[in-house]
Amino acid sequence: MNAIQLNDVSYTYDDGSVALRDINIAIDRGERVALVGPNGAGKSTLLHLMSALYIPTSGRVVIEGEEVTRRTAEKARLNVGFLFQDPDDQVFMPRVYDDVAFGPINLRLGPEEVRLRVEQAIAMAGIRGYEERAPHHLSFGEKKRVAIAGILAMRSPILLLDEPTANLDPQGRRDLVNILESQEGKTMVLATHDLSVAFELTDRVIVLKRTVLYDGSIRGLVERPDILAEARLELPSVPRLMERWMQRTGRAGPLPLTIDEALAALDGCAPRS
């Protein structure tokens, strides 16, 4: 069974503007998928549809085997943890502990189970010692960690992440990537402008521009300069550097996409001492 399936989905806002049209996507359980595209491509709207926060104007959205309707949407949302782009849209309780506990309490779990989930989520998000702090006094990156802890405490099988690394400093970005990498077995869809994050966390990429321009492997996308140009995407530094190096040296073969692949390519051509 797919974790998420969209069949011929379109979405039009109340003012008549078309956000998405004819979307057909199936995401397997445990799959990690990057959703990329230019500003206004419909990435956030698609995540809202995948989380049952929006109902499609036409077409079908199925989450964990059940079609999303106005009647079933609330139940479908229990399968999804949604990280909003701005943590201020998500973090609102007077204490960090209360914020992380909000979801489990609303699941009507017992006090001991709530406490256990909160403690584990806070540890995974790297915010031990923050329990009594007021979220509105925290930095942007710290608020994002609190929001992630709240999602992890729900133990939803599907994680939807809207620009998870946006506005984070380099260390905050690295910490967040490490947290997401640790979520083994979770279905994960992340909308991002940062292809380096997509390369690191996912194996499949969907390029969106109100409709699906590309759906396939990351390496396949690298070999489609037409899609990259239409979606206004730029390759990360490592593959751009290696592309120049291969052109200058006349090397052939697959373009190295990661630091490890680049090192292996450079080691392979280094003279033996």
Side-chain angles (χ1 to χ4, degrees):
M1 186 192 305
N2 298 128
I4 303 172
Q5 187 171 340
L6 293 89
N7 300 119
D8 299 320
V9 167
S10 295
Y11 189 83
T12 302
Y13 284 106
D14 292 339
D15 64 1
S17 58
V18 177
L20 295 168
R21 65 178 185 278
D22 302 327
I23 304 294
N24 289 280
I25 295 171
I27 297 173
D28 291 336
R29 286 176 172 172
E31 192 172 14
R32 296 186 174 192
V33 180
L35 188 61
V36 302
N39 290 332
K43 299 187 297 296
S44 293
T45 302
L46 184 54
L47 289 184
H48 280 74
L49 287 164
M50 289 180 170
S51 64
L53 291 172
Y54 291 175
I55 305 297
T57 305
S58 62
R60 298 171 68 246
V61 176
V62 180
I63 298 175
E64 289 292 335
E66 184 160 5
E67 184 174 356
V68 176
T69 65
R70 298 195 185 280
R71 181 178 59 82
T72 64
E74 185 174 354
K75 179 182 176 183
R77 290 177 198 131
L78 297 176
N79 291 305
V80 178
F82 194 139
L83 180 70
F84 288 83
Q85 184 172 346
D86 186 346
D88 285 326
D89 293 334
Q90 199 158 2
V91 175
F92 56 88
M93 297 294 282
R95 298 185 307 161
V96 166
Y97 186 97
D98 298 328
D99 229 304
V100 180
F102 182 83
I105 288 172
N106 279 273
L107 290 177
R108 296 178 180 162
L109 301 175
E112 186 58 26
E113 179 65 16
V114 170
R115 182 192 63 77
L116 178 64
R117 288 194 180 202
V118 171
E119 288 180 355
Q120 290 179 343
I122 282 175
M124 283 189 284
I127 50 173
R128 275 185 177 147
Y130 283 62
E131 290 85 347
E132 299 300 319
R133 295 183 64 178
H136 64 274
H137 289 157
L138 301 179
S139 70
F140 185 92
E142 289 170 330
K143 289 178 185 177
K144 196 155 258 191
R145 284 174 179 260
V146 174
I148 289 173
I151 291 170
L152 298 180
M154 293 289 287
R155 298 185 181 175
S156 304
I158 301 170
L159 300 179
L160 303 179
L161 313 158
D162 194 358
E163 296 288 353
T165 60
N167 300 314
L168 294 180
D169 60 33
Q171 186 58 54
R173 177 191 174 282
R174 170 50 45 200
D175 292 342
L176 183 57
V177 167
N178 290 340
I179 292 168
L180 297 178
E181 281 186 327
S182 72
Q183 299 306 298
E184 296 182 5
K186 300 274 190 183
T187 304
M188 190 179 299
V189 182
L190 61 102
T192 182
H193 284 95
D194 188 346
L195 280 183
S196 62
V197 172
F199 285 14
E200 196 163 355
L201 286 175
T202 68
D203 298 311
R204 174 183 171 192
V205 60
I206 296 171
V207 181
L208 194 68
K209 194 175 179 184
R210 298 190 179 173
T211 192
V212 174
L213 299 181
Y214 174 88
D215 183 352
S217 70
I218 288 176
R219 185 164 296 282
L221 175 61
V222 169
E223 296 169 355
R224 291 292 305 273
D226 56 326
I227 298 293
L228 292 170
E230 185 171 356
R232 302 176 65 84
L233 297 171
E234 182 180 59
L235 291 177
S237 299
V238 169
R240 280 192 287 124
L241 173 63
M242 296 307 294
E243 185 176 44
R244 293 272 189 93
W245 175 77
M246 292 175 73
Q247 290 170 349
R248 288 190 178 186
T249 59
R251 294 290 195 282
L255 177 67
L257 301 181
T258 66
I259 290 175
D260 288 340
E261 289 179 2
L263 286 172
L266 294 171
D267 286 342
C269 72
R272 302 278 183 188
S273 57

